[in-house]
């Protein structure tokens, strides 16, 4: 299909142009249906909050070819990049080579974009032209656009059209590279030519996952994640010439365009303010004019930044008469207005007088102006006496001589400070590197240094006024400003921590603490918040290295360096830089960039290990574990207290509680999980009240630190726990359904039509804050499970609604509508909360497993509630390799293995067979768990001398090869056998090892006295056997290749015996056959779900040779197939 000529926007009827914003553009989807091979379903429709289709009642004419809504510049403010080519193409997603979807594709000088429709304002995807490596034809009418890690396949309607598209793309790529060579970004190896003003993750209403947002120039770009941002592959971008931003609430703001309203949410109020500032700057840039810039760029030297050489600098220092880029303008601004006065060439229109423009253009060509600049740079005073009474100042002399350019230059430098340069140490570092010579001075109030933490309030009288000077990396304090010799000094290199206590902690309202390597603490105070903040900023700059300068971008409560261990690098501690701000702990490690902050209130574990002399703080998040060591006791104790406080609940509202992975308060799921385990069948659960004193004590401990409270059956009664949960929900200041929306929920319960009522509930659920929404779902899900056992506990849906209606809506029990809401939510749980079949199935399996274990009496009486917290080790049993993990009833061994590896950031290579092993230390044996085996029953059966460890199964590859090459599903042969019998009830094994003949088939294991025997001596069902690798040494096994077999009878009596093979290969064959027959031939998962990250191939040892059966050609084919895919042969067995 050839490109059709598109009429200009002015020729399209007004009604058609409005319709183009609505007909196909009601939803902004994150990508094509199936356009990505991972989680694209997360990017669902975003409702248009700014337009209402009901107001468009007139019929709209259908144009032949509608223009793109973004084709013309709105109001003529900012020129839009001209379109090189546009038209319809078929696009092929990665999921299927025969599935094509029609897309409107547009190519301009910077981007290749595709849309659902030619009327859509915002693209489904865009690809930066700078990131396209090549374009290639791949068949009839098809071609590929290839980037570094993605390939996009398109199909045209003819070979001619395909050729036109390929030529247009290749020309755009060539022009883009030519432009890049002129910029400094090309020299640095950066594909893009413009750095973002702000970039980071934001929540966008309608999208399940956070998006990565970048404000670049006059555009706001949306990406799925940071990786795609770095690759130049995004979702869409918003031209800020038609945008407007406004604040909505504490963390949210709206970006409004004529086509759509984008509702964003930041992680904090501070981040929201920073995003607003960046987007307002983008709007200002979009609405700016280039008239002044074009005139200044007319002088050739002004076309490049005076500092870094970037092309087309759009900022200038009006007192230094130099043009600079946006990045360097930020560095100049940091120097202060006394050194450099920074103005924009495009936005600060009132500043740019005709004389100032001429001065900036003449500064690089006019000799007399350059002489004036040189005099000022050497320290000449702006207001010094000239020696002429009629023209007493340099400015008056210039005016007398009619030197307008010099006059403009001198006026702009009236308040400029004379630069102080150290002639012995020329400044060789770039502005972006934090300079070590930070200078600051002023009066501070100081207490005597201390060797321990300040537990008590220091009165105002304990502070002494001192003149303090920070210079050349030394903080010195003097008796007064005239003193020559300091009373003492603190070297910046010795500072290990800087802490800012809350206001009014001590006698002075604003204080800060300095910790040194010598285990001393210095306390300083001031009345002025601004002065205290300036001192903290200067001291931080003085002792924090350039590596960690990103930590200075925001305010902090505590900043410093600490020894740490993380990941698999646990042999040697390294030194990292940490910053504590609110409940976020940010870290910068020497081996990489700034880490994602740890959300302390979402930690899975916060514990202290080691003795009092060698303490280690363990922080466990979902996918990482961090060990912070207490090398210096003083500052470590300060960090410990601050982190524990930040990780605790901050207040009474839901969002201020300690939160789990799903944003559910820990206090809620502690109680819910305990009752799920111990109270589902308790009669009158939630209707009966617990003892008031016990309930109050339990609730206080949960509110203080719910993460450290482990409810145990026998220590807490289910009625006490249920009462504590109800009290917590009733006492919430804003309520679970919030004061603002409470009335709407109650009114919705009166809707007679069930479908309409459920739809209304779903709408109201979306409006709840995230934590409230997650808590409502968790609670209703739990009550749904409770009513499933109403035959036993007598708590059906109606009874639960009577109890929880007044509790959740905080009424006096007289309003029946509150109970109706709860009853409706439980009855329509699956529909209201969009619970899919898989989620419901897992929930039922978990509840069934818990109830079965309780009925069978296998549940431990001291098991922690809800958590089933289990200690799992990585590779070997050591304190530094242990992981504490929650084990739900549905978790399999494969899921547990992947969870442990993800936490420790361990890459899985293609032929790495990581497996979870059950290790029995007393028996000196271990059993690799089958990947589909449930972990929870195993956990309940573990003794005190057993544990779980995740490590590589070194024999798995050899076993898979054996299974792929063997014929039949049976195994037979001689093995040495010993039965474990007790003598005189003393538990002492008797007898030795004897040769026996064994036959193993799909149903049973048979033992014969010898090969010629016809009747087996023993026979066991293969499904009832557990096979452990290893035999304890005190039995004196004849070989080192043995395994222990455990058989459990119907009466739950355990029998075990020991088998030994002659070779390692024989042991592997027997064990592989056991796995094969016990698990119906599925020994290892066939899908490649275990390969999570690409890791360079490294050989660790060698694999033993395995005899293959069959002809020579068959053996060669087997080996070749197994080399390419070890599992392919197994699938056909």
């Amino acid at each position: 299909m050839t490109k059709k000529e598109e009429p200009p926007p002015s020729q399209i009827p007004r009604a058609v142009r409005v319709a183009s914003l609505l007909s196909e553009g009601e939803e902004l989807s994150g990508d094509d249906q199936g356009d990505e091979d991972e989680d694209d379903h997360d990017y669902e429709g975003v409702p248009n909050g700014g337009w209402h289709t009901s107001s468009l009642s007139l019929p709209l004419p259908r144009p032949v070819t509608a223009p793109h809504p973004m084709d013309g510049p709105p109001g003529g403010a900012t020129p839009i990049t001209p379109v090189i080519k546009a038209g319809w193409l078929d696009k092929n997603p990665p999921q299927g080579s025969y599935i094509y979807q029609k897309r409107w594709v547009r190519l301009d000088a910077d981007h290749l974009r595709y849309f659902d429709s030619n009327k859509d304002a915002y693209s489904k995807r865009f690809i930066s032209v700078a990131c396209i490596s090549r374009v290639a034809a791949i068949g009839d009418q098809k071609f590929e656009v290839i980037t570094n890690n993605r390939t996009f396949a398109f199909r045209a309607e003819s070979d001619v059209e395909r050729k036109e598209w390929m030529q247009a793309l290749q020309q755009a790529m060539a022009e883009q590279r030519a432009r890049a060579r002129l910029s400094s970004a090309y020299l640095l190896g950066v594909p893009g030519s413009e750095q973002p003003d702000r970039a980071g993750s934001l929540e966008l209403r309608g999208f399940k996952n956070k998006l990565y947002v970048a404000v670049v120039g006059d555009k706001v770009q949306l990406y799925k994640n940071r990786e795609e941002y770095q690759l130049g592959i995004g979702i869409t971008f918003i031209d800020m010439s038609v945008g407007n931003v406004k604040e909505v609430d504490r963390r949210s703001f709206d970006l409004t365009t004529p086509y759509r309203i984008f509702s964003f949410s930041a992680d904090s109020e501070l981040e929201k303010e920073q995003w607003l500032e960046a987007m307002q700057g983008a709007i200002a840039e979009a609405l700016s004019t280039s008239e002044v810039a074009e005139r200044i760029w007319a002088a050739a030297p002004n076309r490049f930044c005076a500092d870094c050489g970037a092309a087309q600098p759009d900022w200038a220092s009006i007192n230094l008469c130099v043009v600079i880029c946006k990045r360097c303008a930020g560095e100049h601004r940091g120097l202060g207005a006394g050194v450099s006065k920074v103005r924009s060439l495009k936005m600060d229109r009132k500043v740019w007088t005709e004389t100032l423009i001429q001065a900036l253009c003449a500064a690089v060509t006019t000799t007399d102006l350059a002489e004036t600049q040189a005099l000022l740079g050497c320290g000449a005073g702006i207001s010094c006496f000239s020696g002429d009474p009629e023209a007493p100042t340099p400015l008056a002399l210039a005016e007398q001589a009619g030197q307008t350019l010099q006059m403009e230059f001198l006026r702009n430098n009236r308040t400029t400070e004379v630069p102080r340069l150290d002639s012995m140490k020329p400044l060789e570092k770039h502005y972006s590197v934090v300079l070590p010579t930070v200078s600051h001075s002023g009066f501070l109030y100081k207490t005597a240094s201390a060797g321990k933490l300040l537990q008590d309030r220091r009165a105002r009288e304990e502070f002494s006024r001192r003149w303090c000077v920070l210079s050349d990396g030394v903080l010195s304090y003097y008796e007064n400003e005239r003193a020559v010799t300091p009373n003492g000094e603190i070297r910046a290199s010795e500072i290990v921590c800087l802490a800012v206590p809350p206001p009014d902690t001590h006698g002075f309202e604003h204080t800060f603490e300095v910790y040194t390597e010598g285990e001393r603490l210095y306390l300083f105070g001031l009345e002025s918040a601004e002065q205290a903040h300036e001192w903290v900023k200067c001291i931080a700059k003085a002792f924090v290295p350039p590596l960690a300068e990103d930590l200075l971008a925001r305010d902090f409560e505590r900043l410093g360096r600490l020894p740490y261990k993380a990941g698999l690098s646990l042999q040697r501690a390294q030194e990292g830089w940490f910053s504590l701000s609110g409940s976020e702990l940010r870290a910068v490690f020497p081996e990489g960039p700034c880490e994602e902050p740890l959300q302390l209130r979402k930690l899975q574990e916060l514990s202290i290990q080691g003795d009092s002399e060698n303490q280690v703080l363990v922080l466990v998040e979902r996918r990482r574990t961090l060990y912070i060591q207490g090398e210096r006791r003083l500052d470590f104790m300060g960090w410990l207290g601050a982190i524990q406080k930040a990780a605790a609940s901050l207040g009474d509202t839901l969002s201020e509680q300690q939160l789990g992975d799903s944003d559910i308060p820990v206090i809620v799921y502690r109680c819910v999980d305990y009752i799920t385990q111990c109270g589902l069948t308790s009669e009158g659960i939630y209707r009966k009240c617990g003892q008031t004193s016990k309930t109050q004590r339990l609730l206080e401990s949960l509110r203080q630190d719910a993460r450290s409270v482990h409810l145990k059956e026998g220590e807490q009664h289910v009625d006490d726990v249920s009462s504590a949960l109800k009290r917590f929900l009733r006492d919430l200041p804003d309520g679970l359904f919030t004061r603002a929306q409470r009335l709407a929920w109650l009114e919705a319960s009166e809707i007679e039509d069930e479908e309409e009522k459920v739809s209304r509930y779903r709408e109201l659920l979306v409006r709840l804050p995230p934590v409230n929404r997650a808590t409502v779902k968790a609670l209703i899900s739990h009550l749904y499970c409770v009513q499933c056992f109403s035959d036993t506990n007598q708590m059906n849906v109606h009874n639960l609604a009577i109890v929880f209606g007044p509790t959740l809506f905080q009424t006096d029990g007289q309003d029946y509508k509150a109970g109706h809401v709860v009853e409706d939510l439980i009855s329509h749980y699956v529909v209201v909360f969009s619970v899919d079949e898989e989620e419901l199935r897992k929930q039922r399996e978990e509840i069934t497993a818990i109830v079965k274990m309780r009925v069978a009496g296998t549940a431990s009486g001291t098991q922690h509630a809800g958590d089933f917290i289990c200690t799992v080790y990585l590779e070997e049993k050591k304190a530094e390799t242990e992981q504490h993990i929650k084990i739900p009833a549905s978790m399999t061994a494969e899921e547990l293995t992947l969870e442990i590896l993800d936490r420790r950031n361990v890459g899985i290579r293609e032929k790495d067979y990581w497996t979870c092993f059950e290790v029995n230390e007393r028996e000196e044996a271990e059993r690799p768990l089958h990947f589909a085996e449930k972990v929870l029953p195993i956990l309940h059966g573990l003794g005190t001398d057993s544990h779980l460890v995740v490590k590589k199964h070194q024999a798995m590859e050899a076993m898979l090869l054996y299974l792929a090459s063997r014929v039949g599903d049976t195994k037979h042969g001689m093995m040495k056998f010993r039965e474990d019998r007790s003598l005189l009830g003393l538990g002492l094994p008797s007898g030795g090892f004897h040769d026996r003949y064994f036959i193993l088939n799909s149903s049973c294991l048979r033992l014969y006295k010898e090969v010629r025997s016809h009747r087996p001596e023993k026979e066991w069902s293969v499904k009832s056997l557990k096979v452990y690798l290893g035999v304890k040494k005190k039995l004196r096994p004849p070989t080192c290749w043995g395994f222990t077999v455990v058989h459990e009878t119907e009466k739950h009596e355990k029998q075990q015996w020991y088998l030994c093979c002659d070779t390692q290969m024989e042991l592997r064959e027997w064990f592989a056959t056991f796995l094969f027959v016990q698990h119906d031939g599925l020994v290892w998962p066939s899908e490649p779900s275990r390969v999570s990250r690409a890791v360079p191939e490294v050989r660790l040892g060698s694999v033993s040779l395995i005899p293959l059966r069959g002809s020579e050609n068959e053996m060669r084919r087997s080996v070749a197939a197994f080399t390419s895919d070890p599992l392919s042969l197994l699938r056909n067995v």
Side-chain angles (χ1 to χ4, degrees):
M1 181 187 295
T2 57
K3 176 188 171 186
K4 296 182 180 179
E5 185 176 350
E6 298 178 3
S10 58
Q11 296 179 12
I12 301 298
R14 171 71 178 171
V16 175
R17 296 175 65 190
V18 173
S20 69
L21 311 180
L22 300 169
S23 58
E24 297 277 339
E26 278 303 313
E27 294 184 349
L28 169 64
S29 63
D31 206 340
D32 289 353
Q33 180 82 21
D35 241 23
E36 291 290 327
D37 40 357
E38 59 178 8
D39 67 359
D40 275 344
H41 58 278
D42 291 345
Y43 300 88
E44 297 178 352
V46 178
N48 189 337
W51 295 87
H52 301 280
T53 54
S54 59
S55 63
L56 301 173
S57 56
L58 295 177
L60 303 175
R62 183 181 180 87
V64 176
T65 304
H68 192 278
M70 302 296 286
D71 272 355
T78 305
I80 303 299
T81 306
V83 177
I84 298 174
K85 187 168 179 61
W88 291 101
L89 288 174
D90 292 330
K91 184 181 178 301
N92 182 18
Q95 278 77 5
S97 57
Y98 301 101
I99 303 173
Y100 281 85
Q101 298 162 330
K102 207 171 190 63
R103 296 287 179 256
W104 179 256
V105 185
R106 297 169 54 84
L107 171 67
D108 57 38
D110 298 317
H111 299 97
L112 175 68
R113 294 181 285 167
Y114 58 87
F115 306 77
D116 269 338
S117 164
N118 60 349
K119 301 175 185 178
D120 287 353
Y122 299 109
S123 62
K124 295 184 74 63
R125 273 301 209 192
F126 71 83
I127 310 159
S128 173
V129 173
C131 297
I132 299 176
S133 57
R134 62 189 179 93
V135 181
I138 56 172
D140 294 339
Q141 295 100 42
K142 290 184 285 187
F143 64 96
E144 288 181 338
V145 177
I146 302 169
T147 66
N148 287 335
N149 82 323
R150 281 275 320 262
T151 298
F152 298 83
F154 296 91
R155 183 176 65 187
E157 291 211 348
S158 66
D159 287 335
V160 174
E161 186 182 12
R162 177 183 68 176
K163 183 178 179 181
E164 291 177 358
W165 273 105
M166 292 180 64
Q167 289 175 345
L169 281 163
Q170 290 164 350
Q171 180 184 353
M173 291 164 58
E175 292 173 357
Q176 175 70 30
R177 287 166 183 164
R179 289 196 304 270
R181 291 190 189 97
L182 300 177
S183 69
S184 60
Y186 179 82
L187 300 176
L188 297 173
V190 181
S193 60
E194 192 170 0
Q195 295 297 318
D197 302 322
R198 181 165 181 82
S201 297
L202 285 175
E203 293 179 8
L204 177 59
R205 184 182 300 167
F207 283 65
K208 294 180 181 178
N209 297 329
K210 284 186 177 181
L211 298 184
Y212 194 81
V213 183
V215 181
V216 182
D218 60 352
K219 290 181 175 58
V220 174
Q221 301 173 346
L222 307 182
Y223 299 82
K224 281 177 60 178
N225 48 51
R226 180 182 176 86
E227 290 72 25
E228 291 205 350
Y229 163 72
Q230 293 171 336
L231 295 169
I233 302 172
I235 299 173
T236 191
F237 54 77
I238 306 158
D239 189 340
M240 297 302 282
S241 62
V242 296
N244 184 37
V245 290
K246 66 176 182 179
E247 185 176 354
V248 176
D249 59 26
R250 190 170 62 88
R251 296 192 303 111
S252 304
F253 61 97
D254 284 349
L255 169 54
T256 307
T257 72
Y259 317 110
R260 197 169 313 282
I261 297 177
F262 299 83
S263 298
F264 293 100
S265 292
D267 287 338
S268 65
E269 190 171 3
L270 175 62
E271 283 194 13
K272 180 200 70 177
E273 297 295 335
Q274 293 170 343
W275 279 106
L276 284 173
E277 182 181 355
M279 291 189 181
Q280 287 164 352
I283 294 173
E285 180 147 341
L287 301 178
S288 63
T289 176
S290 299
E291 180 182 353
V292 173
E294 296 291 347
R295 290 185 59 187
I296 291 176
W297 290 342
N302 287 338
R303 295 171 190 165
F304 299 92
C305 174
D307 285 357
C308 70
Q312 293 187 324
D314 51 2
W315 292 78
S317 173
I318 61 175
N319 63 314
L320 300 180
C321 281
V322 293
V323 287
I324 50 180
C325 66
K326 191 171 186 178
R327 179 171 176 268
C328 294
E331 304 292 350
H332 274 251
R333 198 178 289 112
L335 298 174
V339 176
S340 182
K341 298 177 182 178
V342 181
R343 297 292 185 271
S344 171
L345 301 183
K346 296 182 178 179
M347 292 180 283
D348 298 322
R349 303 177 188 178
K350 295 182 180 179
V351 172
W352 295 105
T353 62
E354 186 66 27
T355 306
L356 180 57
I357 295 173
Q358 292 178 10
L360 197 59
C361 293
V364 293
T365 57
T366 307
T367 306
D368 53 355
L369 181 56
E371 185 177 350
T372 305
Q373 290 177 313
L375 287 170
L376 182 64
C378 291
I382 296 291
S383 303
C384 65
F385 182 67
S386 65
D388 185 354
E390 295 182 4
T393 64
L395 183 60
L397 277 175
E399 186 176 5
Q400 189 181 59
Q403 296 175 323
T404 56
L405 301 185
Q406 281 84 345
M407 289 172 59
E408 185 69 25
F409 178 74
L410 292 171
R411 285 195 193 100
N412 288 324
N413 280 281
R414 280 175 176 172
T415 58
T416 301
E417 299 172 359
V418 178
R420 295 181 296 173
L421 297 178
D422 188 348
S423 58
M424 300 299 294
K425 298 178 182 178
L427 296 178
E428 297 177 349
K429 294 186 178 180
H430 192 270
Y431 291 137
S432 63
V433 177
V434 178
L435 302 177
T437 55
V438 180
S439 299
H440 197 61
S441 60
F443 280 105
L444 285 172
Y445 293 86
K446 175 185 173 297
T447 64
S449 65
K452 60 181 181 179
L453 293 179
L454 305 178
Q455 304 291 349
D456 301 325
R457 176 185 175 88
R458 293 298 173 97
R460 194 181 185 93
E461 294 76 21
E462 298 181 63
F463 288 81
S464 302
R465 190 169 184 256
R466 294 289 182 262
W467 175 256
C468 298
V469 177
L470 175 63
S471 180
D472 295 326
V474 179
L475 175 61
S476 306
Y477 45 95
Y478 300 79
E479 191 70 28
N480 53 57
E481 68 272 32
R482 295 181 299 276
V484 177
T485 305
N487 290 4
E489 61 183 27
I490 306 169
R491 294 192 174 275
S493 59
E494 296 177 354
I495 298 177
V496 296
C497 181
L498 179 62
V500 183
D504 204 29
T505 301
H506 298 286
F508 282 87
E509 185 173 359
H510 302 283
T511 56
F512 60 90
E513 300 170 350
V514 177
Y515 296 76
T516 66
E517 287 182 340
E519 301 277 353
R520 303 302 297 176
L521 188 159
Y522 298 83
L523 177 64
F524 298 89
L526 277 170
E527 286 293 351
S528 168
E530 183 178 350
Q531 291 180 13
H533 184 269
E534 186 67 21
W535 269 106
V536 169
K537 183 176 70 173
C538 290
I539 294 174
K541 285 183 177 180
F543 85 98
V544 173
L547 166 74
E549 62 182 357
D550 290 344
L551 298 179
L552 305 180
R554 59 177 63 203
D555 291 338
F556 53 84
E557 285 89 53
R558 190 168 287 266
L559 172 74
R561 51 187 165 99
L562 287 166
Y564 76 95
K565 292 181 181 180
L568 284 179
S569 303
L570 301 176
Q571 293 78 20
R572 181 175 57 87
Q574 302 182 71
E575 190 170 70
W577 289 85
F578 297 85
S579 170
L580 179 62
S581 178
S583 61
E584 286 187 351
L585 181 66
R586 297 179 178 271
V588 175
F589 300 148
E591 69 272 11
C594 186
E595 294 279 319
E596 284 293 319
L598 272 78
Q599 304 295 332
L600 296 178
R601 286 192 291 115
K602 288 190 175 184
L603 290 178
Q604 291 184 332
E605 179 190 344
L606 191 158
S607 61
I608 304 170
Q609 297 180 358
D611 53 31
S612 58
E613 297 298 326
N614 299 294
Q615 289 187 324
V616 178
L617 176 62
V618 182
L619 306 177
V620 180
E621 212 180 29
R622 177 169 176 77
R623 296 191 179 276
R624 51 182 167 169
T625 301
L626 185 64
Y627 300 88
I628 298 177
Q629 294 185 328
E631 187 176 79
R632 298 172 298 270
R633 181 169 178 79
L634 181 60
D635 67 297
F636 176 76
M637 295 307 295
W639 277 104
L640 178 59
I643 289 175
Q644 287 176 331
K645 182 178 179 182
S649 300
L650 301 179
D652 294 329
T653 64
L654 274 179
S655 60
E656 292 175 323
Q657 304 299 311
Q658 293 174 343
L659 302 176
D661 291 337
S662 305
D663 281 345
I664 303 169
V666 178
I667 188 173
V668 172
Y669 75 66
R670 277 281 189 269
C671 296
V672 164
D673 284 352
Y674 178 82
I675 294 170
T676 299
Q677 289 179 41
C678 307
L680 284 182
T681 57
S682 176
E683 183 176 349
I685 184 65
Y686 287 117
R687 189 184 70 238
K688 294 180 180 179
C689 295
Q691 294 185 21
T692 304
S693 58
K694 291 183 177 180
T695 299
Q696 189 63 32
R697 284 197 302 270
L698 175 59
L699 186 57
E700 287 177 0
S701 61
L702 287 168
R703 280 176 171 160
Q704 186 175 1
D705 187 8
R707 191 184 295 108
S708 64
V709 176
H710 298 289
L711 305 175
K712 298 179 182 179
E713 189 176 3
E715 294 184 9
Q716 285 89 16
H717 194 275
V718 289
D719 292 334
D720 297 334
V721 178
S722 65
S723 296
L725 176 61
K726 290 188 294 182
R727 177 74 62 84
F728 170 76
L729 295 171
R730 176 178 278 277
D731 292 347
L732 289 173
D734 197 35
L736 184 59
F737 291 95
T738 72
R739 287 197 182 98
Q741 300 185 39
R742 188 181 303 163
L743 184 60
W745 282 91
L746 296 175
E747 291 174 350
S749 67
E750 297 183 310
I751 299 175
E752 294 183 1
D753 184 75
E754 286 296 314
E755 289 188 6
E756 183 181 350
K757 179 163 60 174
V758 169
S759 177
R760 179 59 176 163
Y761 284 145
R762 289 168 62 93
E763 291 177 9
L764 294 173
L765 190 66
V766 173
R767 296 182 189 175
L768 288 176
V771 177
N772 295 57
R773 185 165 60 249
T775 307
V776 169
K777 180 178 179 180
L779 182 63
I780 298 301
S781 172
H782 169 64
L783 297 182
Y784 177 81
C785 295
V786 171
Q787 61 87 29
C788 289
F789 296 89
S790 58
D791 291 343
T792 306
N793 59 34
Q794 306 301 315
M795 294 300 290
N796 55 26
V797 175
H798 181 69
N799 290 342
L800 290 171
I802 292 175
V803 173
F804 275 93
T807 298
L808 301 184
F809 286 92
Q810 299 174 332
T811 64
D812 55 4
Q814 301 300 318
D815 192 345
Y816 65 90
K817 289 180 289 186
H820 284 180
V821 174
V822 176
E823 189 169 351
D824 290 337
L825 292 180
I826 300 174
S827 301
H828 302 287
Y829 160 68
V830 175
V831 180
V832 173
F833 297 96
S834 304
V835 182
D836 57 27
E837 299 256 348
E838 181 65 17
E839 184 179 352
L840 196 61
R841 182 186 63 78
K842 286 186 177 181
Q843 186 176 354
R844 286 172 177 167
E845 283 184 357
E846 185 171 348
I847 298 302
T848 303
I850 291 172
V851 173
K852 279 184 178 179
M853 281 188 291
R854 292 188 63 80
V855 172
T858 57
S860 171
T862 59
Q863 176 63 42
H864 291 178
D867 294 318
F868 289 111
I869 296 295
C870 175
T871 300
V872 183
Y873 300 91
L874 182 61
E875 295 194 310
E876 57 182 324
K877 186 179 180 181
K878 286 185 177 179
E880 59 267 24
T881 64
E882 66 181 18
Q883 294 288 319
H884 304 287
I885 185 169
K886 177 183 176 181
I887 309 291
S890 58
M891 177 174 275
T892 63
E894 181 185 27
E895 292 170 344
L896 173 61
T897 301
L898 294 177
E899 176 75 16
I900 295 297
L901 296 180
D902 283 342
R903 281 195 184 187
R904 302 301 294 269
N905 197 27
V906 178
I908 308 177
R909 303 178 184 86
E910 188 176 356
K911 293 186 180 181
D912 280 355
Y913 298 95
W914 287 93
T915 308
C916 182
F917 285 78
E918 174 193 346
V919 180
N920 189 322
E921 296 176 353
R922 182 172 60 85
E923 293 292 333
E924 301 174 29
E926 61 184 17
R927 181 175 73 92
L929 305 185
H930 186 259
F931 68 89
E933 196 169 350
K934 294 291 193 295
V935 180
L936 188 58
I938 299 167
L939 174 62
H940 282 298
L942 287 182
T944 56
D945 48 10
S946 299
H947 63 272
L948 299 181
V949 61
V950 172
K951 61 182 180 178
K952 291 180 184 178
H953 197 320
Q954 302 293 352
M956 181 56 71
E957 185 174 3
M959 291 194 302
L960 290 176
L961 183 55
Y962 163 72
L963 292 172
S965 61
R966 74 194 183 97
V967 179
D969 58 355
T970 63
K971 172 72 177 172
H972 55 86
M974 298 293 296
M975 284 189 288
K976 300 188 185 305
F977 169 77
R978 172 168 178 163
E979 191 170 6
D980 190 5
R981 296 193 299 266
S982 298
L983 287 178
L984 304 177
L986 299 178
L988 300 175
S990 65
F993 283 86
H994 305 282
D995 288 332
R996 291 292 184 268
Y997 186 71
F998 289 87
I999 296 179
L1000 174 63
N1001 58 33
S1002 59
S1003 61
C1004 63
L1005 174 67
R1006 294 190 178 99
L1007 180 149
Y1008 298 84
K1009 187 172 183 179
E1010 55 186 17
V1011 178
R1012 292 171 295 180
S1013 300
H1014 297 287
R1015 180 177 297 178
E1017 290 185 346
K1018 294 182 181 294
E1019 182 175 333
W1020 305 273
S1021 170
V1022 74
K1023 298 289 186 181
S1024 65
L1025 302 179
K1026 283 187 178 180
V1027 185
Y1028 293 78
L1029 294 169
V1031 177
K1032 53 187 175 183
K1033 294 178 181 178
K1034 72 176 183 178
L1035 297 180
R1036 298 180 180 178
T1039 71
C1040 58
W1041 300 295
F1043 50 90
T1044 302
V1045 180
V1046 179
H1047 170 64
E1048 186 170 352
T1049 65
E1050 295 179 357
K1051 297 180 180 180
H1052 303 290
E1053 297 175 350
K1054 288 186 178 180
Q1055 302 172 352
Q1056 66 186 45
W1057 58 93
Y1058 310 96
L1059 304 173
C1060 287
C1061 304
D1062 291 331
T1063 65
Q1064 184 186 47
M1065 191 61 244
E1066 189 180 348
L1067 171 66
R1068 289 176 175 178
E1069 291 177 0
W1070 276 104
F1071 195 80
T1073 308
F1074 267 113
L1075 290 177
F1076 185 85
V1077 298
Q1078 283 184 324
H1079 301 286
D1080 301 321
L1082 193 56
V1083 176
W1084 195 257
S1086 55
E1087 66 277 1
S1089 61
R1090 289 173 166 259
V1091 182
S1092 60
R1093 288 174 294 278
V1095 179
E1097 181 66 29
V1098 179
R1099 293 283 297 178
L1100 296 177
S1102 59
V1103 179
S1104 303
L1105 293 177
I1106 300 174
L1108 298 176
R1109 297 174 177 82
S1111 66
E1112 182 179 353
N1113 290 335
E1114 289 174 346
M1115 287 190 286
R1116 287 175 178 171
R1117 284 195 295 269
S1118 294
V1119 173
F1122 185 80
T1123 302
S1124 61
D1125 183 2
L1127 303 177
S1128 60
L1129 297 175
L1130 184 60
R1131 297 188 193 109
N1132 300 323
V1133 175

